[in-house]
Amino acid sequence: MIKLLHTTPYSSIQSAKVRKVVYNISEYIDGDNIFYTTSDNVSVNVKLILTTSKDIFKKYKNLKEVIYFEKLDEVEEYAILKLELNSIYLTFLPSSNAHTLFFTSRCNHYCLMCSEPPKIDNDDYLIQDNLKIIELLDKDLPVLGVSGGEPTLLGSDFIKIIKKIRKELPQTEIRVLTNGRAYTNEKFVQEIADIAKGYFVSEIPIYHSDFAKHDYIVQSRNAFFETIDGFYKCAAYGLSTEVRVVISKQNYDNLADLMYFIYRNIPFVDHIALMGLEYIGFALNNLKTIHISPLEYMEELKQAIKLCRNYALPVSIYNLPLCLVHEDIRHYARQSISDWKNEFSEICYNCEYKNECAGMFTSTQPFFETLLKPIIKNED
């Protein structure tokens, strides 16, 4: 996660850096931490200060690197921040329900519904940022996500960062959201397996059982066949894979056929995620092309789930509130949305299943608002 929190004109920061927030001065290590304080308890060894006290800023701005904000929403102890000259970005929040490293904004797909549209800017600085973030992460972190863009485009630097994760977080599962096309390179897959086998899961989208329609959805030729080849390469080296299917107007009527395709061609996958849309990025640009209400595709979703059950394919439903999922398949729905972009409508607080519900993406709420209906247990 990289989230801009605040900008400020009050800063004596000299250069960009990644640091962990500490409140206790005894925990301060220069080069690793930024000391948050609102009182004058700054020792001589502290070189980097975060504060909401203008008096502290005025006192130390010519002596140390200090950054002042009138308020600091969403910053907590041991959060990891990227500090720019006059701004801070949140990269890790200990209390969050999901933790993800953002490797690059570059991508070789231009998916119709992409929530993070690719950029061609040089963002190689993220490599060093991520290496530092990994050093500062909690050592008992159970799962760490990797995203982009297309993270495998980093090539040897991708391998370098995965090695760093394995060194610093040897018990952490690494889950990489990737289109899988780089896995056609067998040497690349073998390197990953040598480093992280047993701790590495690739979450790879397949959007249609027809290669041409899949390629259309991702806006890239030969994508389908290279992705399928990537699944085989991963299987050959014992790497776990998950199929991700974002449901849209372009593929909702193909869900059952796609499940059958998976069963016949890549039955070794560890899991299938059938996912609701996130209405941000390219999804808004292509709204007429991709938008469909979950209520309109619920029968197709039920059929897809039934086939997975019959074929013993592990499957879940992501990103849909329970009230929009048919009661026969609600037990397949998961709380899948990261808390920093998760919303519930006012009407949801009357629902007896709210604590078990995924809710909605913040961007999805306007599209679902009129469809929501609280579920009352005694009506089941």
Side-chain angles (χ1 to χ4, degrees), residues 77-88:
E77 190 171 20
Y78 307 127
I80 300 175
L81 306 177
K82 171 67 181 290
L83 301 158
E84 299 285 359
L85 300 185
N86 63 351
S87 58
I88 56 174

Side-chain angles (χ1 to χ4, degrees), residues 105-169:
S105 58
R106 289 170 284 166
C107 192
N108 51 353
H109 282 183
Y110 290 83
C111 300
L112 295 175
M113 62 292 185
C114 180
S115 61
E116 192 76 41
K119 301 174 184 176
I120 59 173
D121 302 341
N122 186 329
D123 53 12
D124 287 347
Y125 66 89
L126 290 171
I127 297 168
Q128 293 305 315
D129 284 357
N130 281 309
L131 291 172
K132 184 62 179 180
I133 290 168
I134 292 163
E135 290 180 7
L136 300 176
L137 287 171
D138 295 345
K139 301 306 179 186
D140 59 353
L141 199 66
V143 179
L144 181 61
V146 170
S147 185
E150 174 48 50
T152 61
L153 290 180
L154 294 185
S156 60
D157 286 319
F158 177 87
I159 298 296
K160 180 179 180 180
I161 300 173
I162 298 301
K163 280 183 179 177
K164 183 72 169 180
I165 297 172
R166 294 291 296 129
K167 177 184 176 182
E168 300 289 339
L169 308 167

Side-chain angles (χ1 to χ4, degrees), residues 234-267:
C234 286
Y237 286 91
L239 293 176
S240 297
T241 52
E242 172 182 285
V243 177
R244 294 203 150 199
V245 185
V246 177
I247 305 168
S248 73
K249 186 187 291 186
Q250 294 296 318
N251 67 352
Y252 77 96
D253 56 354
N254 181 248
L255 292 179
D257 288 344
L258 180 53
M259 297 308 102
Y260 184 66
F261 174 88
I262 292 169
Y263 168 66
R264 289 297 302 270
N265 294 279
I266 49 172

Side-chain angles (χ1 to χ4, degrees), residues 263-274:
Y263 168 66
R264 289 297 302 270
N265 294 279
I266 49 172
F268 48 79
V269 298
D270 294 272
H271 183 246
I272 301 168
L274 301 172

Side-chain angles (χ1 to χ4, degrees), residues 12 57-64 66:
S12 60
F57 175 75
K58 289 177 180 177
K59 180 173 181 178
Y60 290 102
K61 67 179 181 178
N62 295 320
L63 302 172
K64 303 174 184 289
V66 188

Side-chain angles (χ1 to χ4, degrees), residues 179-336:
N179 60 41
R181 296 176 72 177
Y183 298 158
T184 58
N185 181 341
E186 188 169 351
K187 183 176 181 294
F188 185 66
V189 176
Q190 184 175 8
E191 284 186 89
I192 295 170
D194 289 344
I195 300 163
K197 182 179 176 180
Y199 295 89
F200 189 95
V201 182
S202 295
E203 301 168 339
I204 306 174
I206 306 176
Y207 295 131
H208 209 285
S209 62
D210 182 319
F211 77 92
K213 291 183 178 178
H214 172 88
D215 287 2
Y216 169 71
I217 292 170
V218 304
Q219 295 287 286
S220 181
R221 290 181 178 178
N222 300 318
F224 180 87
F225 293 116
E226 291 181 9
T227 292
I228 299 302
D229 185 48
F231 275 102
Y232 285 115
K233 293 290 199 311
C234 286
Y237 286 91
L239 293 176
S240 297
T241 52
E242 172 182 285
V243 177
R244 294 203 150 199
V245 185
V246 177
I247 305 168
S248 73
K249 186 187 291 186
Q250 294 296 318
N251 67 352
Y252 77 96
D253 56 354
N254 181 248
L255 292 179
D257 288 344
L258 180 53
M259 297 308 102
Y260 184 66
F261 174 88
I262 292 169
Y263 168 66
R264 289 297 302 270
N265 294 279
I266 49 172
F268 48 79
V269 298
D270 294 272
H271 183 246
I272 301 168
L274 301 172
M275 308 172 66
L277 279 162
E278 183 176 6
Y279 289 91
I280 194 170
F282 283 166
L284 294 178
N285 297 343
N286 299 309
L287 192 62
K288 291 182 179 179
T289 304
I290 65 168
H291 172 65
I292 183 172
S293 164
L295 300 181
E296 294 181 69
Y297 62 69
M298 198 47 53
E299 287 303 314
E300 287 80 5
L301 183 58
K302 284 173 59 180
Q303 182 63 22
I305 294 289
K306 179 181 178 180
L307 287 173
C308 288
R309 185 171 63 241
N310 292 344
Y311 298 147
L313 295 171
V315 65
S316 300
I317 300 169
Y318 287 0
N319 307 345
L320 291 179
L322 287 174
C323 63
L324 300 188
V325 178
H326 193 278
E327 60 183 351
D328 291 348
I329 56 172
R330 276 182 193 150
H331 57 288
Y332 290 95
R334 304 287 179 259
Q335 292 177 306
S336 53

